[in-house]
């Protein structure tokens, strides 16, 4: 019964936030709200104080469901991956099997960017990069994308999945 009530609250919250129908189906089925197989694409907005907002299409991945998640071999020019963690983490990142340069923004539960890392392609003996911050999620885009769009530490990522993640933690 408790799971049913939680799912109902989540569905109502997502409806209020304007979530896509596939997200509502996932929530009503009692699945994690950011499941890779259910969420698919989401449009997010990145805001900073000195540049206009930037809209980006991302694939949302919930690491509570996919703990082995890692970097992709390719990323679309105006797209990326939004990784959500079940709790705060400081786990290192690797660019293993990554065929292209990748920029990674680490963010807190409110979507505020805490650190940006640049990862170069690597196939063997890849270095592990240890973040200087504990983070709740990461946004991966093509190398140099954040700098090209004026996005930096302190910028805000706005996304329905981040709002729902924050609401479920409260």
């Amino acid at each position: 019964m408790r799971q049913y009530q939680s799912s109902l609250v989540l569905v109502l919250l997502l409806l209020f936030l304007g979530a896509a129908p596939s997200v509502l189906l996932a929530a009503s089925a009692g699945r994690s709200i950011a499941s890779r197989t259910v969420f698919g694409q989401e449009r997010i907005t990145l805001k900073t104080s000195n540049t206009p907002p930037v809209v980006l299409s991302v694939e949302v991945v919930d690491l509570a469901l996919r703990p082995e998640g890692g970097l992709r071999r390719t990323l679309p020019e105006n797209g990326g991956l939004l990784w959500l963690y079940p709790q705060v983490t400081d786990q290192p990142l690797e660019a293993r099997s990554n065929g292209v340069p990748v920029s990674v923004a680490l963010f807190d539960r409110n979507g505020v960017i805490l650190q940006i890392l640049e990862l170069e392609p690597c196939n063997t003996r890849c270095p592990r990069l240890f973040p200087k911050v504990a983070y709740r999620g990461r946004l991966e885009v093509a190398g140099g994308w954040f700098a090209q769009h004026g996005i930096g530490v302190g910028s805000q990522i706005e996304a329905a999945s981040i709002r729902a993640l924050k609401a479920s933690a409260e």
Side-chain angles (χ1 to χ4, degrees):
M1 181 71 174
R2 182 169 164 76
Q3 183 179 0
Y4 172 75
Q5 290 173 334
S6 297
S7 293
L8 181 60
V9 169
L10 184 56
V11 168
L12 293 174
L13 175 65
L14 290 170
L15 268 173
F16 177 74
L17 295 174
S22 61
V23 175
L24 298 174
L25 287 172
S28 65
R31 296 185 200 140
S32 174
I33 50 108
S35 165
R36 178 176 186 183
T37 58
V38 175
F39 231 66
Q41 295 288 316
E42 178 180 352
R43 293 182 64 77
I44 65 171
T45 303
L46 292 100
K47 294 183 175 181
T48 186
S49 60
N50 54 357
T51 61
V54 179
V55 177
L56 185 68
S57 291
V58 297
E59 181 179 347
V60 180
V61 181
D62 183 349
L63 288 171
L65 297 178
R66 243 187 101 106
E68 78 283 359
L71 299 167
R72 292 260 292 245
R73 292 183 80 66
T74 61
L75 288 167
E77 184 177 321
N78 275 325
L81 292 172
L82 184 69
W83 299 86
L84 302 176
Y85 291 82
Q87 51 205 320
V88 174
T89 185
D90 62 354
Q91 75 179 24
L93 302 174
E94 271 184 39
R96 182 179 302 148
S97 299
N98 189 33
V100 296
V102 176
S103 294
V104 181
L106 307 175
F107 58 88
D108 67 12
R109 74 184 196 122
N110 296 311
V112 176
I113 295 176
L114 306 170
Q115 183 178 1
I116 295 178
L117 301 168
E118 298 294 332
L119 303 173
E120 293 301 319
C122 179
N123 290 317
T124 59
R125 298 184 190 211
C126 301
R128 296 178 85 184
L129 297 177
F130 292 85
K132 296 176 182 170
V133 298
Y135 56 97
R136 187 66 189 268
R138 71 182 196 246
L139 173 59
E140 297 174 9
V141 294
W145 189 91
F146 293 117
Q148 291 170 358
H149 291 87
I151 305 296
V153 172
S155 295
Q156 177 75 42
I157 302 170
E158 294 184 353
S161 57
I162 294 174
R163 288 190 298 270
L165 180 70
K166 180 181 175 185
S168 69
E170 294 177 343

